[in-house]
Amino acid sequence: GVVAMRFALEHPERTASLILLDGGGVKMTALRLRMVVGSLVVINALMGRPAVVRALVRRPWLRRAAMAGFVRDPAVATAALAHEMLSIFAGPGLVDAVMSAARDDVGEYAERIAAPTLLIWGDRDPVVPLSAAQRLAARLPRARLTTVPGVGHCPMLEQPDRFNDLVADWVDERPGT
């Protein structure tokens, strides 16, 4: 989201529209940022250990607990998806990338983003709460906020058909995109 908003701000002539999904460009309080970064440091270290990832993936109750911050529906937390997602958290540079994105003040300039913007948000997102999306949508001059009821941080995983329909409808509304 930060990268997309920054691009739209710096290259409005090359930005027909945006779709932002549960995060990015939303300013965090200092306390929330410390909590997120602190959690990511620990998660990054743990997921860097293959035995930890294997244990989480193989045990359904651990897998569901590990993915609870991202998906609310336990059925979505399959072993294959858990392995893919949890392995990402071991990636080098993850913590630095999140810190860099959090320090980017692009959200402070949201009023200058002229592109029509669709925000898709899970209404139960514990990572970036819906209230943050509402504040961002209020600042973007051509924003439409669509919430996906009952889902967390990853609507595209919990309700992929709904998510795909929202994206397809948005694109269909924009001739020439």
Side-chain angles (χ1 to χ4, degrees):
V2 169
V3 172
M5 288 177 65
R6 177 63 60 193
F7 186 88
L9 189 62
E10 294 178 7
H11 303 283
E13 74 286 355
R14 297 181 67 195
T15 308
S17 69
L18 296 172
I19 299 175
L20 304 176
L21 173 66
D22 280 270
V26 176
K27 190 163 179 77
M28 291 187 199
T29 65
L31 174 61
R32 186 166 193 83
L33 180 59
R34 279 195 306 275
M35 288 174 27
V36 167
V37 170
S39 298
L40 281 176
V41 167
V42 171
I43 292 168
N44 184 255
L46 286 172
M47 296 308 127
R49 298 179 165 192
V52 171
V53 174
R54 276 194 309 274
L56 290 171
V57 168
R58 289 181 181 164
R59 293 173 179 82
W61 69 274
L62 280 175
R63 182 172 65 237
R64 286 190 299 271
M67 293 185 63
F70 303 100
V71 296
R72 294 183 48 83
D73 180 358
V76 173
T78 64
L81 179 61
H83 186 270
E84 184 176 339
M85 286 184 71
L86 296 175
S87 296
I88 290 169
F89 285 100
L94 173 75
V95 176
D96 291 337
V98 170
M99 285 293 294
S100 178
R103 282 192 294 265
D104 192 308
D105 64 351
V106 70
E108 298 300 310
Y109 304 99
E111 291 87 358
R112 292 178 32 204
I113 295 176
T117 304
L118 174 64
L119 293 92
I120 302 174
W121 233 263
D123 74 348
R124 304 275 189 232
D125 185 345
V127 179
V128 184
L130 180 57
S131 59
Q134 292 164 333
R135 286 191 306 274
L136 181 59
R139 297 187 69 201
L140 288 161
R142 298 175 66 196
R144 179 190 307 163
L145 172 60
T146 301
T147 58
V148 183
V151 305
H153 191 62
C154 299
M156 69 286 197
L157 300 177
E158 288 191 85
Q159 292 193 18
D161 292 338
R162 173 78 174 126
F163 175 80
N164 289 339
D165 287 346
L166 289 168
V167 170
D169 291 348
W170 180 259
V171 170
D172 287 347
E173 290 173 22
R174 290 173 169 66
T177 57

